[in-house]
Amino acid sequence: MSTITVEGVTINTGLFINNEWVKGHGEPLETVNPATEEVQTASKEDVDIAVKAAREAFETTWGTECSGQERGRLLFALADQMEKRIDELVALEIVDAGKPVAWARADMEDSIACLRYYAGAADKIQGSTIEMDDKNKYAVARKEPIGVAAQIVPWNYPILMMAWKVGPALAAGVSIVFKPAEQTPLSTLLFAEMVKDAGYPPGVFNVLNGVGRVTGDALARHMDIDKIAFTGSTPTGRRIACAAAESNLKSVTLELGGKSPNIIFEDADLKEAAKWAAFGVYENMGQSCNAGSRILVQESVYDKFLPLFVEAAQAFQVGDTKDQNTFQGPQISKVQFDKILGYLEQGKKEAKLITGGNRFGNKGYFVEPTVFGDVDMTMKIGQEEIFGPVASLIKFKTEAEAIQIANDTSFGLAAAVHSMNYAQVNRVTRKLKAGTVWINQYTILSHQIPFGGYKQSGWGRELGLEGLEPYLATKAVHHYYGPEFEWPIKL
Ligand code: NAI
Ligand code: MG
């Protein structure tokens, strides 16, 4: 089979089906990274082969055939593989996703922790028993693995988004056909080797690279896939939900976009709030679904907060992704880079540019950490997800106005409240239409805490014990020990 060596790491470029590397028959990936041009993609026919493999595994060696303890043991072994080869994963993620080394490593560590969390849960999946009024009867609600899942992820956290999906699915006994984003195929190909080395039966985890409209769409429409889990843009999420509805009504979970509000009240610790707000919007080059890109600041402290925020934004080191101290690397692609530059021009027309506003340097897709002041919700930069290092500062007067502005968006992924007034924190938190609310912090997620969106930010939750639910089906088993059944009429 064909392999390539990237940063000293050799990876197979084929499709990973049934624990083997096979040739892909899809169209080549259009990418700027010479290494990824070698990566093979899956045609519709290749998708059928992978789904068949996943189904066969589910019915024979996996699914309810494999004990919870064994599923847990395998998942721990997989996490150990990742830990052993973490440097290789980090090296691939730096070239492929443009991540600064410290953050690429942090992603891997979080991913390993996530797999271990679900490894521990694998033999603790429980249903319930239901007592009935009829003494001759009781019922059991069994939790069974849902079947075959397709999982489609974006390029901003290639391995971490995979861990969030693969962890609960493998713990539950679901077999997987996995599609990485076309911009970041490499680290998942190495991960596939680890799945094999960990000892998983063939067909449990399959990787198909490919473009969204071919490979992704074929997965979303497939008649023998029971569940699809997606992270990415809202328009693509909508398309996947439609495809699922038009085909076999497979169940769908969606983690979509955001325009999350970070609310700074006058009695916040302004210096701490500025630090978290800057981290919350500039982290991962602003390419985070939960980026706190709208920073709502109470008017009475706006002039005090602004210099603190600008100072925090300017303190980040931008540049060489292999430098341990670099905070911000390049944007993922020319498409994204150009899109962000477009928003910067738009912002200069609509609002007040405070700092940044341009390309950073003259090589690569770097963007200056940018702050716009005096933004309001009629502006494009106030409403749309920019997915770049761009903060919009919005003034508010009262608590009620803060809540109104915070919720004035079609998204509802995340929000934050910065205040030392705990009664206020409680009041505001309850009114925010968001799946995550941080108090005096931002962006720090944990595999132990459910994550997902209100409104057009998505369907369902990932992570935590709740994250197992989308991979489980409830089977109600009615136990009857008759014969004295009370019929409404005599039969
Ligand atoms: P996208 O949502 O189109 O792509 C994400 C994944 O979906 C990729 O694996 C892609 O191949 C797949 N996909 C695309 N079309 C599909 C289809 N019809 N059926 C099935 N799968 C499909 O995101 P894209 O185009 O990379 O970025 C566009 C914008 O989306 C960004 O500017 C950003 O605003 C947003 N975005 C949000 C993310 C998040 O984490 N919420 C992640 C990535 C992008
Ligand atoms: Mg797209």
Side-chain angles (χ1 to χ4, degrees):
M1 279 314 298
S2 30
T3 59
I4 46 168
T5 301
V6 182
E7 298 288 299
V9 184
T10 300
I11 44 179
N12 209 301
T13 54
L15 312 178
F16 184 76
I17 302 176
N18 258 331
N19 280 2
E20 302 293 341
W21 294 101
V22 299
K23 191 172 157 34
H25 301 89
E27 49 193 296
L29 291 181
E30 183 190 315
T31 112
V32 288
N33 182 343
T36 45
E37 271 165 27
E38 303 285 319
V39 169
Q40 296 169 28
T41 71
S43 65
K44 209 166 160 288
E45 289 70 31
D46 294 327
V47 169
D48 287 339
I49 294 169
V51 173
K52 227 179 228 136
R55 174 63 59 192
E56 173 74 14
F58 183 77
E59 300 297 344
T60 57
T61 55
W62 200 238
T64 52
E65 298 301 318
C66 184
S67 71
Q69 192 167 117
E70 175 64 3
R71 295 197 306 271
R73 191 190 68 74
L74 286 165
L75 206 37
F76 277 122
L78 179 54
D80 290 346
Q81 287 288 329
M82 284 184 82
E83 194 161 58
K84 204 169 83 189
R85 302 185 70 179
I86 189 169
D87 292 342
E88 294 168 72
L89 287 167
V90 169
L92 292 177
E93 208 82 320
I94 295 171
V95 270
D96 226 10
K99 291 214 180 217
V101 57
W103 300 100
R105 187 167 294 272
D107 273 12
M108 296 311 157
E109 285 165 358
D110 286 352
S111 303
I112 293 165
C114 178
L115 294 194
R116 290 200 171 123
Y117 174 82
Y118 285 111
D123 61 356
K124 296 167 195 72
I125 294 167
Q126 297 180 346
S128 57
T129 59
I130 299 145
E131 297 302 324
M132 308 300 295
D133 293 337
D134 180 344
K135 282 204 255 352
N136 288 313
K137 179 161 179 166
Y138 74 95
V140 174
R142 287 172 55 102
K143 293 285 183 184
E144 297 186 347
I146 198 167
V148 174
Q151 301 180 328
I152 301 179
V153 298
W155 40 264
N156 52 349
Y157 297 89
I159 289 286
L160 188 63
M161 289 305 102
M162 184 194 61
W164 288 15
K165 291 179 169 52
V166 162
L170 292 181
V174 164
S175 48
I176 300 167
V177 181
F178 190 87
K179 195 194 91 59
E182 41 272 62
Q183 298 84 348
T184 51
L186 300 182
S187 50
T188 311
L189 291 172
L190 183 64
F191 178 83
E193 292 286 357
M194 297 175 185
V195 170
K196 191 172 173 176
D197 291 345
Y200 276 90
V204 170
F205 177 76
N206 308 276
V207 178
L208 305 180
N209 274 300
V211 297
R213 66 179 188 284
V214 179
T215 313
D217 186 66
L219 289 168
R221 291 184 189 282
H222 205 284
M223 294 301 286
D224 199 32
I225 288 177
D226 302 291
K227 195 243 151 10
I228 187 158
F230 171 74
T231 299
S233 66
T234 297
T236 299
R238 204 184 299 281
R239 243 171 253 136
I240 286 173
C242 286
E246 285 164 5
S247 54
N248 64 342
L249 283 170
K250 57 181 70 60
S251 83
V252 181
T253 43
L254 304 170
E255 299 281 2
L256 308 175
K259 189 73 183 176
S260 298
N262 201 338
I263 311 173
I264 320 290
F265 284 103
E266 61 189 2
D267 42 14
D269 176 334
L270 292 182
K271 201 156 183 240
E272 275 295 301
K275 193 180 76 187
W276 282 113
F279 177 66
V281 61
Y282 298 119
E283 183 256 349
N284 207 41
M285 292 62 85
Q287 302 168 147
S288 289
C289 45
N290 56 252
S293 50
R294 290 186 297 143
I295 299 168
L296 280 49
V297 188
Q298 198 151 25
E299 202 173 37
S300 50
V301 292
Y302 187 89
D303 292 337
K304 243 198 242 167
F305 177 81
L306 186 62
L308 292 170
F309 182 76
V310 171
E311 192 192 332
Q314 289 174 341
F316 294 130
Q317 180 174 317
V318 185
D320 181 6
T321 48
K322 289 188 181 161
D323 182 334
Q324 187 61 34
N325 293 315
T326 295
F327 178 79
Q328 187 183 317
Q331 307 306 131
I332 186 76
S333 65
K334 180 152 186 351
V335 173
Q336 289 295 314
F337 177 70
D338 289 342
K339 183 178 151 190
I340 296 161
L341 294 187
Y343 278 113
L344 294 180
E345 290 319 305
Q346 178 75 23
K348 288 174 196 171
K349 277 185 239 154
E350 292 175 330
K352 185 169 158 195
L353 179 67
I354 312 262
T355 181
N358 297 297
R359 172 180 203 174
F360 177 93
N362 49 20
K363 211 171 140 247
Y365 304 134
F366 293 91
V367 177
E368 291 175 343
T370 296
V371 182
F372 284 109
D374 295 337
V375 176
D376 70 50
M377 292 306 292
T378 64
M379 299 176 187
K380 247 180 125 149
I381 61 163
Q383 282 291 349
E384 296 180 15
E385 183 178 49
I386 299 176
F387 233 58
V390 184
S392 293
L393 268 56
I394 302 173
K395 274 183 208 161
F396 67 88
K397 287 195 178 73
T398 62
E399 184 181 303
E401 196 193 357
I403 294 165
Q404 186 273 321
I405 296 170
N407 290 334
D408 184 15
T409 159
S410 59
F411 296 116
L413 194 59
V417 185
H418 295 264
S419 171
M420 291 303 177
N421 175 343
Y422 288 100
Q424 177 175 56
V425 165
N426 179 48
R427 282 193 306 270
V428 176
T429 301
R430 292 162 68 102
K431 292 282 183 203
L432 290 171
K433 304 269 186 288
T436 293
V437 180
W438 284 281
I439 314 296
N440 296 325
Q441 208 191 30
Y442 206 90
T443 278
I444 304 297
L445 294 171
S446 162
H447 50 265
Q448 294 164 306
I449 307 173
F451 180 76
Y454 279 41
K455 300 199 274 186
Q456 292 183 38
S457 289
W459 285 351
R461 296 291 177 270
E462 294 187 300
L463 301 182
L465 291 178
E466 203 175 330
L468 283 166
E469 290 300 323
Y471 295 98
L472 297 169
T474 301
K475 182 179 280 172
V477 183
H478 296 236
H479 289 260
Y480 178 58
Y481 300 97
E484 321 85 343
F485 189 76
E486 279 182 37
W487 297 95
I489 55 169
K490 197 167 161 49
L491 290 188

